[in-house]
Amino acid sequence: VGMALLDRAGNFVRVNPAFEAMMGRSAAELQGTNFLTYTHPDDRRMGVEAGMCLLRGEVDRFQLDGRWVRRDGDIAWARLSVGLAGDDHLVAQVQDITEEQRAKERLRASHGYYAALLNQSTDALVVVDHNGVLRWASPAAERLFGYAANSKAGEVFTSLVHEDDLDRLLRAFHHLLESPGTTDSVEIRVATADGRGYRHAEVVATNRLDDPDIGGIVANVRDVTDRVDAAGRLEWQAMHDSLTGLANRALLLDRLAHAMERSKRSDDHTALLFLDLDRFKLVNDTMGHDVGDRLLIEVAERLVQAARVGDTVARLGGDEFVVLAEGLADTADVEIVAERIRASLATPVRLPEGDVTVSASIGVAFDTDHRPETLLREADTALYRAKERGKNRYELYDESLRLEAQHRLSTEQWVRRSLDNDAVVVHYQPILELSTGRIVAAEALVRLLGPDGRLHLPGTFLSVAEDTGLVVALGAQVIEFATSQLARWRRELGAHAPAQISVNVAARQLSSPQLTEVLDHAVRRAGIEPSSIILEYTESTVISADRSTARIVDALHEAGYRLAVDDFGTGYSSLAYLKRFPVSVVKLDRHFVSGLGVSEEDLAIVKAVLTLGRALGLTTIAEGVETPEQRDLLIELGCDRVQGFLYAPALSPQDFSAMVRRQIRERVTS
């Protein structure tokens, strides 16, 4: 302890060695100097005031902590205890508390540091006692849940937790009580101070009851509401259609599986109603996809209203919807649902662009012992029949449809094998110039070689190929064969070879951007010109064509290919489509030709088509000519070309060449 004797003015009179060491100055240096000389400027006033109180007799002694400046300029702390020594002197006991003050500063800094961390933390810290009573909460609790600092202290935590989460939280709490030092976590919902709801919180708690500095269970509480909401949105999106909000395929199949399990345990039945909007593609093409989307949303709302409570309405994509109906007694119940759906769509949909009337074809399938995917496929098969039978109707899946589906599946497999195993065969029907009887062209007609070794006509496989999309690959092979054969005839027959060859193009082919590439590759490989290829497509294909198909048709025309409308007169708006598409050839449907000489109506139609063809500068071809009478009438009416059994059926390439050679010989001998 340092000792110093000072006069009433505060000048040092005598000091002991300990004080010299504290000050870093000798007694000789200090003697006669004033204590204020060595006092920190910020503490001088405090020291003077304390000394005046002592000298005025207001106190017998004072004590204070202050700073002084050492000889080396360092700041040191001292605890002074000063009293009177007689009337003329003051005596001071001085203790160096520099390290104590530095420790306090470090502690204050540490407290400030951790306080700042707690204030800035996005997580809240909460301490509860062994009874679950809240003892302390960090400032983040107010930001997260709205409660003022420690406003809930003294309450049991269960008052803030959602009742559905209490059991889970209490189990975790009791586990912590039984295991000192352990940590457990749980996710719960915590009520907000405004009473408007709950926030999702992840709680990680540690038992620190045995820690004398804490004496409680410390919980780190993190707000995970955004994460839970995002996960919920992702889960919802995974199971719902983004446009309509209806269930998607995944959710439908899940609910269907549960429904079928329930049906096994009861006498009730489950049914699927598979819907496809009739002529929806026309709405998209004429009014735009935005209008189409709004129409789909309205249809979805109507289906939900038409369905029964508890039924599931789903959208599989495009304009395909499914209604899952449970608790049905028999087919009559599901027919009622189907009729309600049809009635709900009967009222026109009012849109800013105008009223739109839609209808739906519906396929219905009842639950079986099969898988959910099988029931969905059966409903789809019934839908296919509904469309075949005129649309805007419903059809129930039955045994005949099952057999038909099996047949279509086996046919599809047969077509696939034929494409891979070189079983595609092309025959050619001669097309003759009516005025001279000369073969001027040929129509390529596809056949498939069956496992029985027989050639099968298109009627046995073409519809399946079109529905499955295999017609694109099949058509590409026919184009390759036909162009190669035309080049071969030109080498063999010279000037007597057919000038052109016709190839039938299905709707799927015509809408495929690859068609032009397939044709260009085929004619280059064969070494023939595009103008020698006539592409035949039916009038119904032209009528249903969208804008992209129209662009493909225009590109084919610009490339030099000739375009022909087959089965002309069997569709509608024929004149409009002749004007819209760059057609070079019109083929009279065989049904009108067969009526020549028998039906005045057919005669009138044929006459009108031929007159129209001449007026538009089109080449006219009559199909299915079978009698001399039909031939003579067509000559009289001015038809350009003919084909049919009167002249020849579809022939193999060898038989076709033989027929051309016979014509050559007949002309020479005549």
Side-chain angles (χ1 to χ4, degrees):
V1 177
M3 299 294 295
L5 184 68
L6 297 89
D7 61 21
R8 295 178 64 91
N11 298 315
F12 289 107
V13 175
R14 185 182 301 171
V15 298
N16 71 350
F19 189 82
E20 289 179 291
M22 291 180 190
M23 297 296 292
R25 292 177 173 86
S26 66
E29 290 180 272
L30 293 171
Q31 189 171 5
T33 61
N34 195 275
F35 79 94
L36 291 178
T37 304
Y38 312 104
T39 303
H40 192 282
D42 293 343
D43 295 342
R44 288 172 182 170
R45 182 175 178 179
M46 176 182 63
V48 170
E49 289 179 351
M52 294 300 295
C53 289
L54 182 65
L55 293 173
R56 286 195 299 266
E58 296 175 1
V59 296
D60 293 334
R61 177 175 291 277
F62 71 82
Q63 183 173 305
L64 58 82
D65 293 345
R67 290 163 290 180
W68 77 84
V69 182
R70 297 180 188 270
R71 175 188 290 278
D72 57 10
D74 284 349
I75 303 297
W77 280 85
R79 178 164 293 138
L80 306 177
S81 179
V82 183
L84 290 171
D87 295 332
D88 299 325
H89 293 88
L90 294 87
V91 62
Q93 296 181 7
V94 184
Q95 184 178 359
D96 190 335
I97 59 171
T98 302
E99 288 304 318
E100 177 185 331
Q101 288 296 325
R102 287 175 179 172
K104 287 181 179 180
E105 288 296 329
R106 288 194 296 270
L107 182 61
R108 279 195 295 270
S110 177
H111 286 169
Y113 176 76
Y114 287 109
L117 288 180
L118 286 174
N119 286 330
Q120 295 300 317
S121 174
T122 56
D123 296 354
L125 278 178
V126 176
V127 179
V128 300
D129 65 16
H130 65 283
N131 292 317
V133 176
L134 292 164
R135 294 305 182 192
W136 179 84
S138 69
E142 181 174 0
R143 292 196 299 273
L144 296 181
F145 307 109
Y147 300 107
N150 294 307
S151 63
K152 291 296 180 179
E155 295 186 20
V156 179
F157 65 75
T158 54
S159 63
L160 304 178
V161 179
H162 194 286
E163 60 181 8
D164 293 343
D165 300 337
L166 271 178
D167 286 344
R168 187 167 65 257
L169 180 60
L170 288 172
R171 284 197 300 270
F173 181 71
H174 290 306
H175 174 257
L176 286 173
L177 291 178
E178 296 168 358
S179 308
T182 60
T183 299
D184 206 346
S185 63
V186 64
E187 193 168 303
I188 58 173
R189 283 163 289 179
V190 178
T192 56
D194 57 14
R196 295 181 180 178
Y198 291 83
R199 303 287 293 178
H200 291 269
E202 180 185 70
V203 180
V204 179
T206 302
N207 184 339
R208 301 293 297 274
L209 289 167
D210 293 341
D211 188 333
D213 294 326
I214 299 177
I217 291 178
V218 181
N220 186 86
V221 183
R222 173 171 296 175
D223 187 340
V224 293
T225 304
D226 291 342
R227 187 193 72 191
V228 172
D229 289 347
R233 287 193 297 272
L234 288 175
E235 182 178 358
W236 188 92
Q237 291 169 3
M239 291 293 178
H240 292 81
D241 172 55
S242 59
L243 177 65
T244 63
L246 298 178
N248 62 10
R249 179 184 291 269
L251 182 55
L252 171 70
L253 291 176
D254 180 70
R255 291 184 179 176
L256 178 56
H258 287 90
M260 294 174 73
E261 285 297 322
R262 287 190 289 270
S263 292
K264 291 179 181 179
R265 300 191 294 268
S266 68
D267 295 330
D268 293 335
H269 295 281
T270 298
L272 279 186
L273 296 90
F274 201 135
L275 293 79
D276 186 271
L277 300 184
D278 301 326
R279 301 178 67 218
F280 175 74
K281 184 174 181 292
L282 185 61
V283 176
N284 263 347
D285 291 341
T286 57
M287 305 181 75
H289 288 276
D290 289 343
V291 175
D293 286 348
R294 292 201 297 273
L295 177 60
L296 291 173
I297 293 171
E298 174 64 25
V299 167
E301 293 175 354
R302 293 191 183 188
L303 292 178
V304 171
Q305 294 170 2
R308 304 166 312 154
V309 176
D311 290 348
T312 296
V313 181
R315 178 181 177 230
L316 302 189
D319 59 338
E320 293 183 338
F321 296 86
V322 173
V323 177
L324 166 60
E326 296 186 61
L328 302 170
D330 50 32
T331 57
D333 284 353
V334 77
E335 287 176 350
I336 292 173
V337 177
E339 286 296 347
R340 287 174 56 180
I341 290 172
R342 292 181 64 243
S344 71
L345 299 177
T347 305
V349 178
R350 296 191 176 278
L351 298 172
E353 293 78 4
D355 292 355
V356 178
T357 302
V358 293
S359 62
S361 300
I362 307 173
V364 182
F366 271 88
D367 57 347
T368 61
D369 292 332
H370 302 308
R371 297 182 304 164
E373 293 86 351
T374 303
L375 188 62
L376 184 62
R377 187 167 61 250
E378 290 174 351
D380 190 20
T381 302
L383 167 64
Y384 183 83
R385 173 176 283 184
K387 283 191 170 295
E388 278 187 331
R389 293 186 173 181
K391 303 180 180 179
N392 191 23
R393 56 183 292 128
Y394 63 87
E395 291 287 340
L396 273 65
Y397 184 85
D398 56 19
E399 181 64 15
S400 65
L401 274 175
R402 186 184 68 81
L403 294 175
E404 181 182 329
Q406 289 180 344
H407 173 70
R408 293 180 67 83
L409 179 60
S410 63
T411 301
E412 178 186 347
Q413 294 170 344
W414 170 42
V415 175
R416 290 187 187 277
R417 288 195 301 270
S418 298
L419 289 169
D420 295 336
N421 300 330
D422 297 327
V424 177
V425 177
V426 179
H427 281 187
Y428 303 89
Q429 185 171 38
I431 299 175
L432 292 86
E433 191 174 54
L434 191 53
S435 60
T436 64
R438 291 184 60 223
I439 297 174
V440 294
E443 180 179 359
L445 298 168
V446 66
R447 279 90 171 95
L448 291 186
L449 184 63
D452 54 5
R454 295 189 301 109
L455 286 179
H456 292 262
L457 299 178
T460 60
F461 59 82
L462 196 56
S463 63
V464 173
E466 289 177 343
D467 292 340
T468 58
L470 292 173
V471 71
V472 176
L474 184 61
Q477 285 200 18
V478 172
I479 290 171
E480 191 69 32
F481 290 160
T483 52
S484 297
Q485 185 58 53
L486 181 58
R488 192 175 299 113
W489 279 330
R490 288 183 177 180
R491 291 193 299 269
E492 295 174 358
L493 302 174
H496 301 287
Q500 295 171 316
I501 196 161
S502 293
V503 178
N504 291 283
V505 181
R508 284 200 184 222
Q509 282 180 279
L510 200 60
S511 62
S512 171
Q514 285 75 41
L515 178 59
T516 303
E517 181 180 342
V518 169
L519 284 163
D520 290 346
H521 176 268
V523 296
R524 283 197 304 269
R525 182 174 178 179
I528 60 178
E529 62 283 348
S531 59
S532 60
I533 305 299
I534 300 176
L535 303 175
E536 294 188 18
Y537 45 83
T538 63
E539 185 178 352
S540 58
T541 298
V542 175
I543 290 170
S544 61
D546 55 19
R547 287 190 291 269
S548 63
T549 301
R551 287 194 292 269
I552 293 173
V553 171
D554 289 338
L556 291 170
H557 173 69
E558 292 174 4
Y561 299 100
R562 301 191 70 193
L563 305 172
V565 178
D566 198 5
D567 301 336
F568 188 78
T570 58
Y572 57 91
S573 302
S574 301
L575 292 176
Y577 285 93
L578 281 180
K579 180 180 178 181
R580 177 181 173 187
F581 290 91
V583 176
S584 303
V585 179
V586 172
K587 299 190 75 172
L588 266 167
D589 187 74
R590 63 181 66 250
H591 294 95
F592 301 129
V593 174
S594 65
L596 289 177
V598 179
S599 168
E600 290 296 326
E601 292 180 353
D602 287 345
L603 176 62
I605 291 174
V606 171
K607 186 184 296 185
V609 172
L610 295 176
T611 301
L612 175 65
R614 283 193 298 273
L616 296 178
L618 305 177
T619 300
T620 55
I621 302 176
E623 296 182 297
V625 179
E626 298 181 354
T627 67
E629 289 78 16
Q630 294 168 357
R631 176 197 60 198
D632 295 341
L633 278 172
L634 289 168
I635 292 173
E636 181 182 332
L637 294 173
C639 183
D640 298 319
R641 298 179 179 181
V642 291
Q643 63 183 103
F645 284 0
L646 177 62
Y647 303 98
L651 304 170
S652 68
Q654 298 78 9
D655 290 341
F656 191 97
S657 298
M659 182 177 176
V660 173
R661 290 190 175 96
R662 282 198 304 273
Q663 279 196 348
I664 297 171
R665 289 195 298 270
E666 289 170 0
R667 284 198 295 272
V668 170
T669 57
S670 61

